[in-house]
Amino acid sequence: MQLRFEIRRSDSPWVDSVWTCTSEQVTTMTSVAAVRWGLVFWEQDGRSYAAVTGPETRTSTAPVPEGAVFTGIDFAVGTSLRALPTPELVDGGVELPDTTRRTFRLDGARWQTPGSDDAEALVERLVQAGIVVRDPLVAEVLRGHDPAVSGRTVERRFRAATGLTRGAVRQIERARTAAELLAAGDTAVDVVAKLEYFDEPHLARALRTYVGRTVGQLREATGGAIALDLDQRLTS
């Protein structure tokens, strides 16, 4: 019973990563907190589906279509859909209607369903059509720059673009990194030091809240299917 992930980073400034996943004898999984919205395409029993997924602020248990094959695009933080602002997607998502194996419908138009190799080509077309947009201030903040606007303005625009506060983004990303390090063999002491957690109980609380796993479960690869690639099959 497992989810088999393969993930590659993207060179596109609009895309964080592109992933594929196959579910094998899995009907539920632990959903992990995430800071990005995405497009997901899957096939099951000869039918095709597509959905827009939103950021998730906490872990939960989610159903998995058994025997499905997925392709997903995780967009860069700060991007959003013109017709569906990211704050409206937080802890939710929208299944797209009228999806076929070859095409899907988004923002009133029909688009060719991508594979993992041509995901960026689809995104570029969506950007050119004005369907995917972004706030450049968010990208500037994420690069560590200090914009010439007030902190209140930065926080307002950050939340409008991402649906999250800057603090929430940092906490979620840190917990996901902690899970990956623990699964790769790091000790809890090592992770606390590397990621600057206050102490081990603080790390444990973050993992429960955002990842749905204990330190022991991550190190021993137990706890069932999880929506996080802990096998480190990451390509570029």
Side-chain angles (χ1 to χ4, degrees):
M1 296 177 61
Q2 58 185 315
L3 298 173
R4 295 187 177 274
F5 280 96
E6 289 194 5
I7 304 175
R8 66 172 175 83
R9 296 297 183 199
S10 176
D11 292 331
S12 168
W14 299 86
V15 178
D16 177 74
S17 59
V18 179
W19 55 271
T20 59
C21 178
T22 303
S23 62
E24 299 180 356
Q25 297 181 314
V26 175
T27 56
T28 62
M29 69 176 180
T30 299
S31 183
V32 178
V35 301
R36 295 169 180 83
W37 70 279
L39 287 173
V40 181
F41 309 89
W42 70 99
E43 293 186 7
Q44 182 193 28
D45 297 332
R47 293 190 60 187
S48 298
Y49 305 85
V52 180
T53 59
E56 297 181 59
T57 60
R58 59 188 179 274
T59 185
S60 62
T61 299
V64 177
E66 187 175 357
V69 178
F70 301 84
T71 298
I73 304 170
D74 286 344
F75 285 77
V77 176
T79 64
S80 60
L81 282 170
R82 173 182 63 187
L84 195 58
T86 305
E88 296 181 14
L89 294 168
V90 173
D91 292 324
V94 177
E95 186 169 332
L96 300 176
D98 197 18
T99 298
T100 71
R101 187 173 185 180
R102 293 180 179 273
T103 64
F104 68 101
R105 186 174 294 280
L106 178 66
D107 199 2
R110 185 160 287 282
W111 307 88
Q112 186 173 348
T113 301
S116 60
D117 293 335
D118 53 4
E120 284 86 355
L122 167 67
V123 173
E124 185 61 31
R125 290 193 292 271
L126 295 174
V127 170
Q128 290 176 354
I131 290 173
V132 173
V133 297
R134 66 180 171 190
D135 186 337
L137 181 142
V138 174
E140 188 178 349
V141 169
L142 291 173
R143 288 195 297 266
H145 297 167
D146 189 13
V149 295
S150 70
R152 181 176 297 181
T153 297
V154 170
E155 193 62 49
R156 176 179 54 79
R157 287 176 58 176
F158 198 95
R159 187 188 287 269
T162 69
L164 305 169
T165 65
R166 285 185 289 171
V169 169
R170 286 193 296 267
Q171 291 171 23
I172 292 169
E173 291 282 72
R174 184 166 64 157
R176 291 172 65 99
T177 300
E180 293 166 358
L181 290 173
L182 290 163
D186 282 27
T187 66
V189 172
D190 290 338
V191 173
V192 166
K194 285 181 181 179
L195 301 183
E196 298 181 347
Y197 280 100
F198 182 73
D199 54 20
E200 290 187 46
H202 187 192
L203 168 64
R205 286 193 297 272
L207 292 173
R208 285 196 303 270
T209 300
Y210 300 121
V211 181
R213 289 288 188 273
T214 66
V215 169
Q217 286 174 323
L218 289 164
R219 287 179 55 81
E220 297 163 13
T222 60
I226 187 169
L228 191 65
D229 181 20
L230 298 179
D231 291 334
Q232 301 299 304
R233 289 192 295 275
L234 187 65
T235 61
S236 58

